[in-house]
Amino acid sequence: MSDDARPALLTKSNLWSYEQEYRAIRHEEPSIIQVPPSCIARIILGCQISDSDVQEVKAWVQHPSRQPQIEIWRTKLSMTKYELEFYRDQ
């Protein structure tokens, strides 16, 4: 990781501290990091995600081996504020 990119990847505004987010960053070539599904409580989908990607995520989450069930949340742009609104996917 270049020194120029480090602040953008490792810095987060205090406004977002409620997210309790973890970031996994590798210094190698792009790759997939394996995370046990039991470690995932929810997945938040961005407001510009494609319908096909939504269906792929839902199919993965709804697999019978995913217990307890992982929550899927969606986002949309607020019509009145500079922020995202979150809602639980049905």
Side-chain angles (χ1 to χ4, degrees):
M1 171 184 339
S2 75
D3 288 339
D4 293 338
R6 190 176 303 268
L9 296 173
L10 301 177
T11 304
K12 186 171 183 172
S13 168
N14 288 336
L15 295 172
W16 298 97
S17 63
Y18 67 88
E19 288 186 346
Q20 299 177 3
E21 170 186 77
Y22 291 95
R23 295 181 183 187
I25 300 171
R26 296 185 66 164
H27 298 277
E28 299 144 13
E29 291 299 314
S31 60
I32 295 174
I33 299 172
Q34 297 292 327
V35 177
S38 60
C39 294
I40 303 171
R42 78 186 51 86
I43 297 172
I44 301 173
L45 304 176
C47 58
Q48 296 185 10
I49 189 169
S50 69
D51 290 340
S52 62
D53 285 345
V54 170
Q55 294 310 313
E56 187 174 345
V57 170
K58 285 183 176 185
W60 183 85
V61 165
Q62 293 168 353
H63 190 276
S65 68
R66 312 277 183 256
Q67 294 298 327
Q69 190 70 34
I70 299 168
E71 295 177 1
I72 299 177
W73 286 73
R74 305 284 302 264
T75 58
K76 64 180 180 179
L77 294 174
S78 171
M79 299 299 286
T80 58
K81 300 177 187 173
Y82 182 65
E83 66 183 22
L84 293 174
E85 295 175 356
F86 296 82
Y87 61 97
R88 189 159 181 187
D89 191 79
Q90 300 303 326

